[in-house]
Structures are given as C-alpha cells and as structure tokens.
Amino acid sequence: DCFGVDVGPKAARQFNDALSKCNTIFWNGPMGKFEVPEFAAGTHAMAHTLATASQRGCITVVGGGDSVAAVNALGLSSHMTHLSTGGGASLELLEGKGMPGLRALAAAGIRQRQART
C-alpha cells in the first residue's frame, strides 16, 4: 500500500505559481500530514504562499482546524484575512447550503433572528 503524506517541492511551486494570480484564496485542509515534521513542507509552503498573497492585497481565508493550527504554529495568522476552524461548515456555506448549525436549529423549530445592521 502507498500513502500520500505530503506534496513535493514541484507541486508546492505549482500551487504557488497558480495562486500568485488570484485575488481571493480559500484554503481548507493541510497539504499533508503536517503534524509529522518530515511531511510538513507542503503545508508550510502553502501557508507562506497565502501570507505572501495577503501582503499583495489578496483576500486569504483559512478554513479548518488543522489548517488554522498550521498557520498559527508558523506565526502567520496575522497575515491572513480570516481564520475559521469551521472547515466543513465553511465549505457548505460556500456551496449555498447555509450553515449546518443553523439548519439544525431550523429543523428543530428554532427561529433565527435577523441581525441588526
């Protein structure tokens, strides 16, 4: 059996090159098993790519507890536009499904109040 535990340096460069052209980046999920130092290079490269993108004005959103933990461990959280530990929930919101927690409340008959602006 083979397992993919990290992206290689070539893939990290390809991601960096592609993302350098973006105005908004949403990153959800580490690039590998970053908790093991030998397999953290791809995740570190992605975090630095987003930090650099933020510095040039790109909107950078990091979703998911593991991705946020990696960004925090690298001391790059202040460089990101937004951090959210709700990775899966954030993706569902982007898909147009709404927030899972709010859907559960609605299913239970609990009404949402409109936020005041």
Side-chain angles (χ1 to χ4, degrees):
D1 293 334
C2 294
F3 298 95
V5 291
D6 197 9
V7 298
K10 181 178 177 183
R13 282 191 302 275
Q14 289 173 326
F15 279 115
N16 182 67
D17 291 347
L19 295 174
S20 70
K21 302 170 183 122
C22 295
N23 294 320
T24 303
I25 303 170
F26 189 101
W27 177 30
N28 184 43
M31 303 306 287
K33 191 169 176 60
F34 77 98
E35 302 90 339
V36 177
E38 295 83 12
F39 307 127
T43 297
H44 290 187
M46 181 61 71
H48 286 283
T49 292
L50 266 70
T52 300
S54 289
Q55 290 173 340
R56 66 171 172 74
C58 179
I59 296 169
T60 54
V61 180
V62 180
D66 288 337
S67 301
V68 171
V71 167
N72 285 337
L74 292 167
L76 297 173
S77 59
S78 65
H79 296 282
M80 307 303 166
T81 306
H82 182 74
L83 302 172
S84 171
T85 56
S90 297
L91 289 176
E92 287 191 26
L93 179 64
L94 289 174
E95 289 175 32
K97 295 180 181 177
M99 297 295 291
L102 295 178
R103 284 196 317 269
L105 291 173
I110 299 171
R111 294 179 39 142
Q112 299 176 39
R113 289 194 299 179
Q114 295 296 322
R116 294 183 186 187
T117 55

